[in-house]
């Protein structure tokens, strides 16, 4: 059966915000190059859109951690599924995430990445659900703060579905 998905943030709004974020980040890193780290799979859509709007030189790498089963609640267990291909030593690194919810995944990940001696390490997320935070994590750029609702689209899934929606939606249950 098809679920009903309602629009929370339209495609136009998301695109407009990513354009702004690309501009802000490009200005901040003027004269430098940026090493973007995508947290798979959810961060992939946001990362490619953001990368296209950054005007300083960019390199990319991908990693995959998993803190969720097939449901919608964080288990608190973070599993390393795929590590980065490149070292971070001396690089200006920005981690790109789809959403920060409890903060468990990212607080764990940022600690690990810090130990690899990047020149700088920042965090950029498309969405933030601050009401759900249980682990503190410093976020440098947030696309949208959203209420405590389970969202899909723009990389975010519900049981691996809906990642390809070009907007942020809520599955009606
Ligand atoms: P955290 O460790 O609780 O911050 O969870 C972060 C990860 O949980 C995100 O990268 C998403 O993969 C997933 N997640 C959290 N909230 C949502 C949601 O509303 N929709 C889809 N995935 C979510
Ligand atoms: Mg994610």
């Amino acid at each position: 059966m098809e679920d009903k998905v309602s629009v929370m943030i339209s495609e136009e709004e998301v695109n407009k915000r990513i354009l702004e974020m690309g501009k802000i980040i490009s200005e901040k890193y003027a004269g430098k190059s940026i090493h973007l780290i995508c947290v798979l799979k959810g961060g992939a859509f946001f990362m490619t859109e953001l990368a296209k709007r950054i005007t300083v030189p960019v390199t990319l790498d991908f990693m995959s951690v998993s803190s969720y089963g097939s449901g919608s609640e964080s288990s608190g267990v973070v599993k390393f599924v795929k590590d980065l291909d490149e070292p971070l030593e001396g690089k200006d690194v920005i981690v790109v995430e789809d959403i920060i919810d409890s903060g468990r995944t990212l607080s764990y990940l940022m600690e690990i990445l810090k130990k690899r001696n990047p020149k700088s390490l920042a965090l950029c997320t498309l969405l933030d659900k601050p009401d759900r935070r249980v682990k503190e994590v410093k976020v440098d750029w947030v696309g949208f703060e959203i209420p405590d609702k389970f969202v899909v689209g723009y990389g975010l899934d519900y049981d691996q579905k809906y990642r390809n929606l070009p907007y942020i939606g809520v599955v009606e249950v």
Side-chain angles (χ1 to χ4, degrees), residues 64-109:
S64 182
V65 293
S66 117
S67 66
Y68 274 68
S70 58
S72 59
E73 272 298 307
S74 178
S75 64
V77 180
V78 179
K79 203 172 69 183
F80 238 90
V81 182
K82 182 212 172 294
D83 202 347
L84 297 168
D85 293 332
E86 310 287 336
L88 300 183
E89 184 104 43
K91 292 178 182 152
D92 289 303
V93 174
I94 304 179
V95 175
V96 181
E97 244 298 36
D98 51 359
I99 190 166
I100 302 182
D101 185 33
S102 72
R104 287 190 183 103
T105 312
L106 263 294
S107 64
Y108 170 84
L109 198 62

